[in-house]
Amino acid sequence: METNEKKQVVLSAIQPTGTPTLGNYLGALKNWKNMADDYECYYAVADLHSITVRPEPAQLRRKTLEMYAFLLAIGLDPEKNTVFVQSHVSAHAQLGWILNCYTQFGEAARMTQFKDKSEKHPENVNVGLFAYPMLMAADILLYQANYVPIGVDQKQHLEITRNIADRFNGLYGETFTLPEPFIGKTGAKIMSLQEPTKKMSKSDTNVKAFISVLDDTDTIVHKIKSAVTDSEARVHYAQGKDGVNNLMTIYSCCTGKDFAEIEKEFDGKGYGDFKAAVAQAVVAELAPVRDEFNRLIADKSYLNACMEAGAQKAARVANRTLRKAMKRVGFYQL
Ligand code: ATP
Ligand code: MG
């Protein structure tokens, strides 16, 4: 029964394709944590999505457990929020298939992630990569999510989700809630440290391009020191200064200072001082997550128990929506 006190629903997911980066953390995970108290939250490790890049099986298994531990390490309470692994809830794949049939080839072909990832992995442009947005739509719609905290790169996928849901509702009557993206003001797109016109990605093969949540202090200092900047040697936010803009964004997210304050702080100083300060701010931001991760990853049986309980909670909600959608489409019910 719907009551006025019912909390709004939030869903988001992250692929176990690597260790979360500073980009994932500032663009998505930090908001996941911030929303955890005020919303009914469903957070998933998107392992079904990650096989589009064909990970080595042992690696996929290990990364899935690790990503799950990260979600708890950022401070999510598995009792209060539903934290689960996508492949443990079969409704995702089932609704994903159904939604494929309510999506036009042309609209899926416009997705920039498909184009980018096809270019990055020309040897494996599989149909799963193409169908990614419809599976993502299923992830979201199964929980009747109101908000989806994501980085800017996923905005287009949220738009297609809304279009698919709207089309389905139009054909069969209200079935799915139309979700809104929740994108933070700063940090929604952290760029690569080496190619600051491209987003930071955990699956990047150049490890100097990203800061991982597990990097130690020396590594963080070193990576930020070698981040690409420009020859102007002046800390200010401006068009064409992608590298500096990115470092300013990172510094702003970690310290809460705005760009004007940052410009003043580093007035008359060079990039050396600025980079040292950025590195210290990043270290301070990530250290608690890293420590908590190291504690949790040593306790596999606790993680397994949380995963199992999370999958059961998620499946109850997801199966309800799946049954409703299947009935509407006309599948024979026993
Ligand atoms: P992959 O390279 O495997 O796609 P990814 O780093 O893009 O990895 P995802 O698992 O695809 O990570 O996305 C998880 C969440 O992190 C999404 O909400 C996405 O929008 C967000 N995100 C990813 N990269 C960035 C970034 N550079 N800045 C801000 N948010 C980001
Ligand atoms: Mg991605």
Side-chain angles (χ1 to χ4, degrees), residues 129-165:
L129 201 57
F130 189 75
Y132 187 109
M134 287 66 88
L135 181 59
M136 177 163 160
D139 301 337
I140 297 165
L141 300 177
L142 280 172
Y143 301 91
Q144 308 289 3
N146 302 99
Y147 296 104
V148 186
I150 43 169
V152 166
D153 63 302
Q154 292 298 327
K155 196 165 170 248
Q156 200 186 24
H157 286 164
L158 213 79
E159 278 155 18
I160 198 174
T161 298
R162 287 174 61 90
N163 292 341
I164 298 167

Side-chain angles (χ1 to χ4, degrees), residues 164-333:
I164 298 167
D166 194 42
R167 183 173 305 138
F168 193 99
N169 289 348
L171 286 166
Y172 299 112
E174 282 306 305
T175 310
F176 300 122
T177 302
L178 295 200
E180 303 276 348
F182 181 92
I183 299 176
K185 275 191 219 67
T186 45
K189 194 167 188 185
I190 301 297
M191 310 309 273
S192 155
L193 298 177
Q194 292 300 314
E195 287 176 277
T197 53
K198 294 200 179 131
K199 87 167 190 80
M200 185 181 281
S201 280
K202 64 177 128 58
S203 62
D204 201 315
T205 45
N206 180 359
V207 295
K208 285 177 89 178
F210 59 82
I211 289 172
S212 129
V213 171
L214 288 188
D215 282 344
D216 60 24
T217 303
D218 287 350
T219 310
I220 293 174
V221 169
H222 183 72
K223 283 181 180 177
I224 291 187
K225 219 180 192 172
S226 39
V228 169
T229 49
D230 53 62
S231 55
E232 194 194 19
R234 198 176 135 226
V235 179
H236 72 124
Y237 198 96
Q239 189 142 36
K241 288 176 70 79
D242 301 303
V244 170
N245 294 350
N246 190 35
L247 293 177
M248 286 180 74
T249 303
I250 292 171
Y251 191 61
S252 170
C253 286
C254 296
T255 59
K257 295 175 186 170
D258 64 24
F259 292 154
E261 286 172 83
I262 299 171
E263 282 173 15
K264 215 165 130 209
E265 184 177 347
F266 295 98
D267 189 25
K269 294 187 181 152
Y271 290 158
D273 288 341
F274 174 53
K275 284 178 163 179
V278 176
Q280 282 321 307
V282 170
V283 167
E285 180 83 14
L286 298 183
V289 181
R290 191 180 63 202
D291 293 347
E292 185 60 4
F293 171 82
N294 287 331
R295 193 184 70 79
L296 284 162
I297 200 67
D299 195 349
K300 192 172 168 185
S301 58
Y302 171 71
L303 293 172
N304 281 346
C306 291
M307 250 188 213
E308 194 157 353
Q312 278 177 18
K313 272 203 286 180
R316 268 198 298 280
V317 179
N319 287 335
R320 205 185 307 141
T321 307
L322 177 68
R323 272 197 302 276
K324 188 167 158 190
M326 289 182 77
K327 201 168 165 191
R328 297 238 143 141
V329 170
F331 287 109
Y332 193 87
Q333 311 269 309

Side-chain angles (χ1 to χ4, degrees), residues 5-131:
E5 298 107 71
K6 193 173 181 291
K7 285 182 179 174
Q8 299 236 289
V9 177
V10 163
L11 173 128
S12 204
I14 184 163
Q15 303 185 74
T17 40
T19 304
T21 66
L22 184 64
N24 300 131
Y25 185 71
L26 298 177
L29 299 177
K30 218 175 157 180
N31 287 329
W32 294 19
K33 160 78 176 121
N34 289 338
M35 296 175 103
D37 288 333
D38 301 328
Y39 297 85
E40 182 186 331
C41 296
Y42 296 86
Y43 294 129
V45 176
D47 56 345
L48 293 175
H49 285 283
S50 72
I51 67 167
T52 55
V53 293
R54 201 176 303 163
E56 207 262 302
Q59 163 105 339
L60 174 60
R61 260 188 296 277
R62 188 165 55 82
K63 289 287 171 196
T64 301
L65 183 72
E66 285 181 9
M67 190 55 83
Y68 193 88
F70 274 116
L71 299 190
L72 302 194
I74 61 172
L76 296 178
D77 176 350
E79 297 278 324
K80 253 186 9 205
N81 309 125
T82 306
V83 188
F84 65 102
V85 174
Q86 186 189 27
S87 69
H88 294 171
V89 181
S90 54
H92 290 251
Q94 289 171 279
L95 185 63
W97 167 254
I98 295 174
L99 299 181
N100 279 332
C101 304
Y102 294 85
T103 309
Q104 294 305 301
F105 188 88
E107 67 182 326
R110 282 198 294 274
M111 297 296 112
T112 48
Q113 177 178 285
F114 173 68
K115 292 182 211 163
D116 290 351
K117 292 208 169 175
S118 310
E119 242 171 65
K120 248 190 186 166
H121 307 275
E123 73 299 338
N124 185 19
V125 183
N126 57 76
V127 176
L129 201 57
F130 189 75

